[in-house]
Amino acid sequence: MLYYMPMKTYKRTIRTLSHSFYDLKYHLVWTPKYRGKVLASQKVKDELRRIFETICKWKHWEILELSIQDDHIHLCLLTTPKDSISYVMQMIKGKSSAWLKKKIKRMHGLYENHSLWARGYYASTVGIDEYIVRRYVRHQDKYNEITQPSLFDKLKS
């Protein structure tokens, strides 16, 4: 009988609050509005990384993995039980959009009155497969090389 053993094991650290123990990890994905490639600049990526780290330190969250692609973001995050996932996304998307717009005044056609991020997001809990999810996020740029068919390919023919 074969047993699956991950190549690298992550130490599972149980965190505590005054009346609870927790290990809440999420895989989050979201995109800029209209899936535009506004995150392509290294300056923007570096600033977003700094902003995410600042927000997470302020809220006592921990970034496990972060991958900023040209048109989307993957984030593995450890949160506290007092914060819902909708609150986490509200803080991350809201603060990062506002702070990035202040830092980079006119960012690739996005102006002050427009939102940087699209309305939705993807959220999944990370459990036993933490290694696989973290490896996927870490190597996102390699997975992104595969070209996906366009929705408009059928209109051309």
Side-chain angles (χ1 to χ4, degrees):
M1 185 170 197
L2 294 174
Y3 293 98
Y4 172 74
M5 292 295 291
M7 295 186 320
K8 182 178 178 184
T9 57
Y10 287 95
K11 184 178 178 186
R12 209 171 172 103
T13 305
I14 304 297
R15 308 236 176 2
T16 61
L17 290 174
S18 60
H19 297 285
S20 62
F21 298 87
Y22 66 94
D23 186 30
L24 300 172
K25 296 173 186 163
Y26 295 96
H27 175 209
L28 307 168
V29 183
W30 69 97
T31 64
K33 199 153 203 153
Y34 309 118
R35 192 81 187 222
K37 296 189 185 249
V38 296
L39 310 176
S41 162
Q42 191 59 45
K43 180 181 177 183
V44 171
K45 288 180 182 185
D46 292 341
E47 187 61 25
L48 271 175
R49 183 174 298 279
R50 188 192 66 75
I51 289 170
F52 293 148
E53 288 169 355
T54 303
I55 293 168
C56 290
K57 185 176 179 182
W58 170 46
K59 291 295 184 180
H60 306 287
W61 303 329
E62 183 181 335
I63 295 175
L64 303 173
E65 296 291 338
L66 173 63
S67 176
I68 303 172
Q69 300 299 305
D70 294 351
D71 63 348
H72 67 284
I73 293 176
H74 284 266
L75 174 65
C76 284
L77 186 69
L78 186 136
T79 66
T80 61
K82 61 184 178 180
D83 299 320
S84 69
I85 197 63
S86 61
Y87 175 75
V88 169
M89 289 308 295
Q90 176 188 354
M91 293 306 295
I92 288 176
K93 288 171 67 175
K95 295 295 182 191
S96 65
S97 178
W99 292 352
L100 189 63
K101 284 187 216 170
K102 281 183 184 176
K103 186 78 174 184
I104 302 169
K105 296 289 184 198
R106 195 169 167 202
M107 201 181 88
H108 304 286
L110 293 176
Y111 300 96
E112 275 186 43
N113 298 339
H114 296 94
S115 174
L116 171 62
W117 305 117
R119 286 178 53 190
Y121 59 89
Y122 167 81
S124 172
T125 55
V126 176
I128 301 297
D129 59 350
E130 176 182 356
Y131 170 74
I132 295 167
V133 173
R134 288 179 67 171
R135 186 181 64 188
Y136 172 75
V137 171
R138 186 178 312 116
H139 299 291
Q140 183 64 67
D141 54 341
K142 293 178 186 127
Y143 290 112
N144 212 16
E145 290 175 2
I146 301 168
T147 57
Q148 295 181 358
S150 171
L151 292 173
F152 301 103
D153 285 344
K154 291 187 179 189
L155 296 175
K156 293 177 185 175
S157 54

